[in-house]
Amino acid sequence: MGYPHKSHPRETAVLSKHFGDPEARTLDGWKKRGGYRALEQALAMTPTDIVNIVKESGLRGRGGAGFPTGLKWSFMKQGDGKPHYLCCNADESEPGTFKDREIMRWTPHSLIEGCAIGAYAIGAETAYIYVRGEFTEPIRRLNEALKECYAANILGSNAMGTGKTINIYVHSGAGAYICGEETALMNSLEGRRGNPRIKPPFPAVAGLFGMPTTINNVETLAAVPHILINGAEWYKAMSLSSPKSMGTKLFSVCGNVARPGNYEIVMGFPFKDFLYDLCGGPLAGRKFKGVIPGGCSVPIQTMEEAEATMMDYEGFVAQGTMLGSGGVIIFDDAQSIPRMTARHARFYAHESCAQCTQCREGTAWTTKILDRIVAGQGTFEDLDTLLEMADNMTGKTICVLSDSCATVVVSALQKYRHEFEALITGKRSSTVAASSGAAA
């Protein structure tokens, strides 16, 4: 669904099928559309059987890492006598990514059903949905839906009359980007500062409150009821290219494009068709210059690279970038890549938790140098310094926030170095950059 546009004929609407349908938000409306049949089916199965179906389907985490969901669930040891927890990461705050909030806004029961199935499968009686605090409407929709579920005995100490306990709570975060990192999310849930933890131990061994924990993304969990109802083979069949990337994927599209919005397609869809057909191509009189295809933490692509890409995990890697969270940011020929790079670096500097020196100092100095270049006061040595700092910011910190900042800078310099040099030599005006408030 290219919100606010109608669904494109080449989309495959599974998760987005009921976006824009107010009745689907209610329990009665969701049941009319087949809702909670999957949970009823799951509660009659063994947890191991559920995990095996999800494994067989090939579902991979949609939050960015792409780790196999069924395999992650299998790491939770059954019958160990410890409390288990499921955490749903709904702290969607990466620039360019805005699809999870639409699932929560329009189909909150799909997420609740996915959470309940996931919790039962990993042996957890309690699940938390950690939502970014600014998402006031999604939080309200989720709480309304949970209230309906408890009143209908779908959740609680006798879920659906089976004698099994499943409780789900919505936790409103304070709005820090770093709390989307799984260990920082758990710290925040425990009432502590949202700083990432060193791994190991991994969450499946010692997670929330020190107990075995699984963390999944909103889109991942919302796909689970569809897999249980339609079967693993149905899900596996939805692939146009790699046998390692199955199912549908929601992509958020923003930037200089005719039809921004959310689109749901089968894995392996040609990126060229996606950009020019579904998204309507560039704005009138403009040409596409580049694309960041997976949220701002993945490498930028030139248009030649983007147009040769198949949209799945392996297809993006083959063209030098990553699928990431599926947040597609598009730039046309009127945009300045150095200015974009400086804005992204400023974001990471602001959101750094400052635990690690490489991140705290690296993101701050990267921002200062980029602002200087954008203001027309940079030097060629600054470009070498940026690359040297990026090397020291990669793979040397507790989490990957520092790496994400470095990735943007390195890929922009590798593919659009001439734009940075034009600002340094004065061949390109810095007037616009200076008027935007870039530091001198």
Side-chain angles (χ1 to χ4, degrees):
M1 175 186 209
Y3 181 81
H5 313 291
K6 291 182 179 178
S7 181
H8 191 282
R10 297 183 70 183
E11 287 187 76
T12 303
V14 176
L15 304 180
S16 61
K17 184 177 181 180
H18 302 296
F19 283 6
D21 177 2
E23 191 184 50
R25 290 168 163 165
T26 66
L27 178 58
D28 288 343
W30 191 242
K31 282 186 169 180
K32 286 180 185 175
R33 289 155 183 78
Y36 290 108
R37 285 194 296 120
L39 177 58
E40 186 176 9
Q41 177 181 318
L43 292 176
M45 300 167 62
T46 67
T48 302
D49 286 343
I50 298 172
V51 171
N52 287 339
I53 288 176
V54 175
K55 265 186 181 178
E56 179 63 23
S57 74
L59 174 64
R60 295 169 67 175
R62 302 303 199 221
F67 194 83
T69 304
L71 182 60
K72 178 183 274 191
W73 287 5
S74 71
F75 294 156
M76 298 287 281
K77 189 176 180 181
Q78 299 285 346
D80 59 3
K82 298 179 180 178
H84 290 189
Y85 294 101
L86 175 76
C87 293
C88 173
N89 186 348
D91 192 65
E92 182 180 54
S93 50
E94 184 164 51
T97 309
F98 47 88
K99 41 92 177 173
D100 289 346
R101 69 198 72 178
E102 294 303 291
I103 293 174
M104 293 185 282
R105 282 183 67 213
W106 291 109
T107 57
H109 283 287
S110 74
L111 176 59
I112 291 170
E113 188 172 7
C115 285
I117 295 170
Y120 174 63
I122 64 167
E125 294 187 342
T126 303
Y128 293 95
I129 304 175
Y130 187 97
V131 189
R132 191 171 178 84
E134 291 97 317
F135 294 174
T136 53
E137 185 186 355
I139 290 171
R140 177 162 54 87
R141 298 295 179 195
L142 284 171
N143 281 323
E144 289 171 352
L146 283 174
K147 188 177 179 182
E148 288 182 305
C149 286
Y150 280 106
N153 205 32
I154 291 172
L155 299 176
S157 58
N158 185 24
M160 288 190 154
T162 61
K164 299 179 172 74
T165 298
I166 302 175
N167 287 307
I168 299 177
Y169 303 95
V170 173
H171 182 94
S172 175
Y177 174 68
I178 194 60
C179 287
E181 196 278 337
E182 62 180 13
T183 57
L185 184 154
M186 292 189 295
N187 269 356
S188 178
L189 265 174
E190 292 172 359
R192 296 189 281 156
R193 185 183 174 95
N195 285 355
R197 306 175 185 172
I198 294 173
K199 293 185 285 189
F202 294 97
V205 176
L208 188 64
F209 307 120
M211 294 296 136
T213 302
T214 291
I215 302 175
N216 291 128
N217 170 259
V218 170
E219 187 181 350
T220 311
L221 289 166
V224 170
H226 298 282
I227 293 171
L228 283 200
I229 287 294
N230 296 294
E233 292 302 320
W234 165 81
Y235 197 75
K236 286 167 67 176
M238 290 193 290
S239 177
L240 298 175
S241 54
S242 172
K244 296 181 180 178
S245 295
M246 290 90 165
T248 63
K249 175 79 185 79
L250 280 165
F251 286 89
S252 314
V253 180
C254 65
N256 309 125
V257 64
R259 290 197 293 270
N262 279 307
Y263 295 86
E264 186 173 9
I265 56 170
V266 172
M267 285 285 195
F269 198 89
F271 204 6
K272 186 175 183 179
D273 291 359
F274 183 80
L275 293 170
Y276 291 94
D277 188 4
L278 275 65
C279 302
L283 300 172
R286 310 262 35 125
K287 294 180 180 177
F288 285 149
K289 176 192 282 187
V291 177
I292 297 178
C296 73
S297 59
V298 309
I300 189 171
Q301 289 185 298
T302 65
M303 285 318 298
E304 291 75 18
E305 292 169 333
E307 290 176 3
T309 300
M310 297 293 113
M311 299 177 74
D312 59 26
Y313 294 101
E314 291 71 33
F316 282 110
V317 170
Q319 293 297 326
T321 185
M322 294 181 287
L323 185 151
S325 58
V328 180
I329 308 171
I330 304 175
F331 306 95
D332 68 18
D333 55 357
Q335 300 305 311
S336 163
I337 297 300
R339 287 187 65 203
M340 175 279 292
T341 309
R343 281 198 303 272
H344 285 185
R346 194 175 301 118
F347 167 79
Y348 286 112
H350 181 267
E351 296 295 336
S352 171
C353 78
Q355 274 194 110
C356 307
T357 303
Q358 295 92 332
C359 183
R360 181 182 65 245
E361 299 298 326
T363 55
W365 277 104
T366 296
T367 302
K368 288 179 181 178
I369 293 173
L370 285 168
D371 281 350
R372 189 161 68 218
I373 292 171
V374 169
Q377 298 174 359
T379 66
F380 284 99
E381 287 74 21
D382 284 337
L383 303 183
D384 296 332
T385 302
L386 285 171
L387 292 175
E388 184 180 350
M389 285 200 303
D391 183 57
N392 285 315
M393 292 162 63
T394 303
K396 300 179 176 66
T397 48
I398 294 174
C399 76
V400 295
L401 187 143
S402 176
D403 302 56
S404 299
C405 181
T407 295
V408 174
V409 173
V410 171
S411 65
L413 277 170
Q414 287 174 339
K415 298 172 184 177
Y416 298 92
R417 187 181 180 97
H418 60 282
E419 291 198 21
F420 293 85
E421 292 180 347
L423 288 170
I424 291 170
T425 59
K427 292 181 179 177
R428 183 167 181 162
S429 171
S430 62
T431 304
V432 175
S435 65
S436 72

